[in-house]
Amino acid sequence: MVTAGITIILVLLLILVLYKTVLNKVKYVGKSIKTLSSENADLTVRVPVKGHDEFSELGSDVNQFINTSSQSVFELAQNTKENIQVMDSLLRQFTA
């Protein structure tokens, strides 16, 4: 009877530890994604990847998405800058 009680307590403690561990990882990844989806999306934020579990894989995937998005924003800024320079050049030619 005592052994069963100790076993139940140990199982409950193990469940609690696992629950907190998983919940903390989910909250951390969620917080990082929330930062990205905010109005002032900071594309320098990365999800720290520790380990080789599903949450680490999710973090890596989110980081890859951020890298791709960041590169797209950079290219868009470069293209916009080039377009403005071309427009300025054309304006000077037609107004001279």
Side-chain angles (χ1 to χ4, degrees):
M1 187 58 119
V2 173
T3 306
I6 292 173
T7 303
I8 291 173
I9 290 172
L10 290 175
V11 167
L12 290 175
L13 285 174
L14 180 63
I15 290 171
L16 180 64
V17 168
L18 289 174
Y19 175 76
K20 284 190 145 253
T21 301
V22 169
L23 189 61
N24 285 339
K25 288 183 178 188
V26 169
K27 282 183 180 180
Y28 191 79
V29 170
K31 183 178 176 182
S32 297
I33 293 171
K34 189 173 184 174
T35 299
L36 289 172
S37 66
S38 70
E39 208 171 291
N40 300 323
D42 183 359
L43 295 178
T44 63
V45 173
R46 297 294 183 270
V47 177
V49 177
K50 301 174 190 168
H52 301 285
D53 59 7
E54 289 82 3
F55 294 106
S56 298
E57 186 175 332
L58 177 61
S60 292
D61 292 343
V62 168
N63 289 341
Q64 183 60 44
F65 173 75
I66 296 168
N67 289 338
T68 303
S69 298
S70 180
Q71 184 64 33
S72 295
V73 168
F74 176 77
E75 289 172 7
L76 180 63
Q78 288 298 107
N79 291 339
T80 301
K81 184 178 177 181
E82 290 170 12
N83 288 340
I84 290 171
Q85 290 171 345
V86 168
M87 287 179 11
D88 283 346
S89 176
L90 289 172
L91 280 173
R92 276 190 243 114
Q93 288 176 6
F94 287 117
T95 57

